[in-house]
Amino acid sequence: MPEPAKLRHFLVLTPLWSNQNVPLSSAQQEELRLAMESYCFPAAYFDYSLGAPLESASIRDVESRVKEALQSGSVDTVRDGLSNVLYWGYAQIGYRSNRIQRFRELVTVSMLESAAVLFKQRSPSVIDIMELKLPEFSGLSFVSKIRMFLDPERSAVLDKQILKMNKVAVGTVLSGLSGNGTSISITQKHAQAYEQWCQKLLDISIRYFEAKPRAVDVERGFFHLIQTERVEIAATLLRDA
């Protein structure tokens, strides 16, 4: 039985819908498909054994390498994997090096040992990841990045960019979320909303795209729409899907 004091997620790889009507029009489906295909974000990865960035990395290569590091069971390798979550997440931010250096200086062996055990799970809850108290990983944005790298098939990122859709559409799976400044706190309510977000992405993949895109691929479609100043289109798609 789940602990009453903590939220535990239960993702089900089945759609939440049952009617046969298709809310998204063909044009809307095509809009989202093109957005998924057009997603562009630096495939940033740093090889700490060589002390150099990986020049030829693709996003799938980054995902594979980070997941392998996070689940390695080795304290040093897990530290490098978490460093790469930051390296990728801050790829377009000038203070990336400072954040990574601070993480590597402040993280303890005890934290990394606990992380190594937890990351053996396919999809640990965002609350469990938060409770590791890893430096630089307190808010939902970067904690959800860890979850995404551990299980991109069923998990995705949820950050302030995604929350821009709340300014346009109401009644979506994101409606219960709110941010404070540049951060989204991890509460029971927000953790539940995160699981619903991941499930919604899976439902969209199953319903409209024959389950071919992963949850993270669908999320990246929404992210691309938002990044290209089409927040209203993204929010409408999420509301109608």
Side-chain angles (χ1 to χ4, degrees):
M1 291 293 291
E3 298 177 35
K6 293 183 179 179
L7 172 74
R8 292 295 182 269
H9 66 281
F10 299 94
L11 283 177
V12 181
L13 292 176
T14 55
L16 296 177
W17 43 269
S18 59
N19 63 37
Q20 295 183 352
N21 296 324
V22 180
L24 290 187
S25 67
S26 296
Q28 286 177 308
Q29 293 175 50
E30 181 68 4
E31 184 102 45
L32 184 53
R33 184 187 67 78
L34 289 174
M36 286 189 279
E37 293 178 356
S38 300
Y39 169 82
C40 182
F41 191 84
Y45 182 87
F46 194 87
D47 190 325
Y48 286 90
S49 64
L50 299 176
L54 189 67
E55 296 283 340
S56 60
S58 66
I59 188 61
R60 290 290 186 121
D61 188 26
V62 171
E63 291 171 3
S64 176
R65 289 172 181 269
V66 173
K67 180 177 181 177
E68 183 178 1
L70 293 177
Q71 296 187 323
S72 67
S74 162
V75 166
D76 290 339
T77 308
V78 170
R79 179 172 56 237
D80 291 347
L82 288 166
S83 298
N84 266 304
V85 175
L86 297 170
Y87 189 81
W88 175 78
Y90 286 124
Q92 296 177 311
I93 306 295
Y95 50 76
R96 174 174 67 179
S97 296
N98 293 336
R99 293 298 178 89
I100 296 171
Q101 180 180 356
R102 186 163 63 185
F103 164 75
R104 292 178 72 84
E105 290 176 352
L106 295 178
V107 71
T108 67
V109 171
S110 177
M111 291 174 186
L112 292 168
E113 288 174 342
S114 297
V117 173
L118 182 65
F119 294 165
K120 288 293 186 180
Q121 298 180 27
R122 180 176 182 179
S123 298
S125 74
V126 291
I127 285 182
D128 282 345
I129 297 173
M130 176 197 67
E131 289 179 345
L132 294 171
K133 301 188 183 303
L134 298 165
E136 305 298 324
F137 292 95
S138 59
L140 186 54
S141 176
F142 272 87
V143 167
S144 70
K145 288 177 175 63
I146 293 176
R147 245 291 285 276
M148 179 275 290
F149 278 114
L150 288 171
D151 186 12
E153 295 289 339
R154 304 188 302 173
S155 304
V157 174
L158 208 172
D159 58 17
K160 292 298 289 291
Q161 289 296 312
I162 295 296
L163 278 195
K164 286 182 178 179
M165 289 189 282
N166 273 353
K167 297 179 181 179
V168 178
V170 297
T172 74
V173 294
L174 300 177
S175 295
L177 282 153
S178 61
N180 180 19
T182 59
S183 179
I184 307 172
S185 62
I186 300 179
T187 63
Q188 294 282 348
K189 181 180 179 181
H190 286 179
Q192 183 177 25
Y194 171 75
E195 299 299 344
Q196 292 171 342
W197 164 240
C198 292
Q199 183 66 60
K200 184 65 173 180
L201 298 169
L202 283 169
D203 292 344
I204 290 171
S205 175
I206 293 167
R207 186 169 195 181
Y208 301 107
F209 303 103
E210 299 179 341
K212 292 178 181 178
R214 305 166 300 168
V216 70
D217 298 324
V218 181
E219 175 256 306
R220 287 169 181 167
F222 284 105
F223 181 85
H224 178 76
L225 289 170
I226 294 164
Q227 287 291 90
T228 52
E229 300 182 355
R230 290 178 285 173
V231 180
E232 186 171 352
I233 291 174
T236 301
L237 286 170
L238 181 61
R239 181 196 65 200
D240 293 348

